[in-house]
Amino acid sequence: MDTATADQVPVIGHDWAIELLKKSLVSERLGHAYLFVGPPGVGKTTLALYLAQAVNCLHPNVAARPCGECASCRRIKTGRHTDVRVLDDLGAAIKIDEIRDIQRESSLAPYEGRRRVYVLCNMERAGHEASNCLLKT
């Protein structure tokens, strides 16, 4: 995937959802959580990471975020940003201990970014206890 510019979202389709997220970013009125649902391969994780880049981008112009060029955008793209955590255990269920770690970490201030972002892939495989624990976050 090439580096995306502010007008080039790395997801094809879902224009209404992308526009909604862009408007929320520009007005700086993002929700505390977003749920991306759909069949495998439609771009849920890609869009979530794009949103994580936009939230933590260092570009001074809010409308131009994510720039794809700043240190924060590059670190998120390569999976090395300290404030962006992706839980994707390919086939394994998300456990309650992982949710508790997220709860503990999310109470701390961001280390290098503007906000902490957690991308929970395959949450439908999480156990009943883990799902309920996440609702209390």
Side-chain angles (χ1 to χ4, degrees):
M1 174 178 17
D2 294 330
T3 303
T5 63
D7 294 327
Q8 181 185 356
V9 180
V11 175
I12 298 170
H14 312 291
D15 295 332
W16 67 271
I18 293 167
E19 271 308 306
L20 178 71
L21 291 172
K22 281 184 179 182
K23 287 178 184 177
S24 297
L25 282 166
V26 170
S27 66
E28 295 186 5
R29 296 180 59 102
L30 283 171
H32 75 284
Y34 286 95
L35 179 65
F36 299 121
V37 296
V42 297
K44 298 178 299 285
T45 304
T46 303
L47 184 57
L49 291 173
Y50 182 79
L51 181 59
Q53 282 181 316
V55 166
N56 286 299
C57 183
L58 303 174
H59 197 282
N61 182 0
V62 177
R65 293 180 189 164
C67 67
E69 298 174 4
C70 69
S72 186
C73 286
R74 288 193 315 261
R75 289 177 61 82
I76 292 170
K77 185 174 182 173
T78 58
R80 298 181 302 126
H81 197 284
T82 58
D83 295 319
V84 177
R85 184 169 165 196
V86 179
L87 275 126
D88 189 7
D89 291 338
L90 298 176
I94 295 174
K95 296 174 181 55
I96 193 167
D97 292 334
E98 293 173 307
I99 300 299
R100 287 183 179 142
D101 285 344
I102 288 172
Q103 286 177 325
R104 183 187 51 76
E105 287 176 18
S106 66
S107 67
L108 303 172
Y111 182 71
E112 69 176 304
R114 296 176 195 273
R115 294 188 185 176
R116 289 186 177 271
V117 178
Y118 299 93
V119 179
L120 308 177
C121 301
N122 304 315
M123 191 61 197
E124 69 276 4
R125 294 188 194 138
H128 185 68
E129 289 179 337
S131 297
N132 285 339
C133 187
L134 181 64
L135 289 173
K136 296 174 184 171
T137 303

